[in-house]
Amino acid sequence: MSHILLEKWKELEEELKVQRSSLDRETLLKILLRWTQEVKKIKDEKVQELYHSYLEYFENCFFPENNITPWYSLKELIDVDLLNRPPLTYDRAVIKVRDVLWELLVFKSDILCPCCGDDNLRVMVNNDNILIFTCDLCGCILNESGKKTDVNGKLYPAPMSMIRLAGITANPVLL
Ligand SMILES: [Zn+2]
């Protein structure tokens, strides 16, 4: 028997395929966030654990005005990350959605990570609403002056208004 999350994944896949030609960032976000809320309702201990680890975070970080240009093109996120290969395991289904939500919601700057030099920094805010920069690749966390910093509590995607005010520019989109 297929796991309930893989069934849920198939529903998502179908919906994305049906809407493929008209999918923009906003619609994709809506579909994915609705999917996370459906996962939340599944009464299964393991599913709840996965929801808590990977998806619950997004309940608190959706800024409708944040029109982020994803670092990977929308086409790549949809056709490669979501639709190209079905997840092999049910937990991978959740992680795939988490990864795409992250791309859609968190601004990626053109600042190269000074710790690993291999990736560009994401722009986040801490509990005090101060800009913090993080690296997806090495996990480095830096303050606005580029110094390594400790963070208490969670970081959330920085609002576009703050990013603009700080004069941070986006990483050019890879097509
Ligand atoms: Zn790094």
Side-chain angles (χ1 to χ4, degrees):
M1 198 186 80
S2 179
H3 191 276
I4 185 163
L5 266 180
L6 288 177
E7 298 296 322
K8 215 74 222 119
W9 171 266
K10 273 189 208 133
E11 288 172 30
L12 174 66
E13 215 173 40
E14 276 315 302
E15 187 172 6
L16 292 175
K17 279 180 187 159
V18 169
Q19 299 212 40
R20 178 65 192 92
S21 58
S22 59
L23 268 187
D24 54 14
R25 174 183 172 277
E26 206 179 319
T27 318
L28 180 60
L29 253 181
K30 266 190 205 139
I31 293 173
L32 294 181
L33 288 169
R34 197 175 60 226
W35 190 83
T36 69
Q37 289 314 294
E38 286 166 15
V39 169
K40 188 182 180 179
K41 287 184 202 137
I42 298 172
K43 289 185 175 53
D44 173 279
E45 205 180 321
K46 185 71 197 157
V47 173
Q48 286 301 314
E49 229 171 80
L50 286 167
Y51 178 80
H52 184 72
S53 308
Y54 297 109
L55 302 176
E56 192 174 55
Y57 171 80
F58 296 102
E59 285 184 16
N60 298 318
C61 68
F62 180 45
F63 305 109
E65 78 279 10
N66 261 19
N67 195 3
I68 304 247
T69 305
W71 148 253
Y72 298 106
S73 68
L74 204 57
K75 183 181 179 342
E76 184 164 324
L77 289 177
I78 298 166
D79 296 335
V80 181
D81 290 0
L82 290 168
L83 295 178
N84 186 31
R85 256 176 267 131
L88 295 173
T89 55
Y90 65 88
D91 50 340
R92 281 301 308 167
V94 167
I95 293 167
K96 255 174 185 284
V97 170
R98 188 273 315 259
D99 289 349
V100 173
L101 280 172
W102 181 253
E103 290 298 333
L104 292 174
L105 289 167
V106 191
F107 186 90
K108 191 151 178 158
S109 71
D110 65 348
I111 308 164
L112 196 64
C113 173
C115 309
C116 68
D118 272 341
D119 203 1
N120 288 44
L121 298 172
R122 300 270 180 185
V123 189
M124 315 291 291
V125 284
N126 66 10
N127 283 336
D128 301 321
N129 231 19
I130 288 171
L131 288 179
I132 300 284
F133 297 81
T134 65
C135 177
D136 284 348
L137 215 60
C138 72
C140 215
I141 301 175
L142 306 157
N143 64 19
E144 255 194 284
S145 14
K147 295 231 158 56
K148 278 197 192 188
T149 180
D150 288 328
V151 170
N152 299 316
K154 281 194 171 133
L155 295 174
Y156 289 99
M160 275 312 287
S161 50
M162 279 179 77
I163 294 170
R164 273 192 218 105
L165 211 62
I168 301 160
T169 42
N171 195 85
V173 178
L174 294 178
L175 292 173

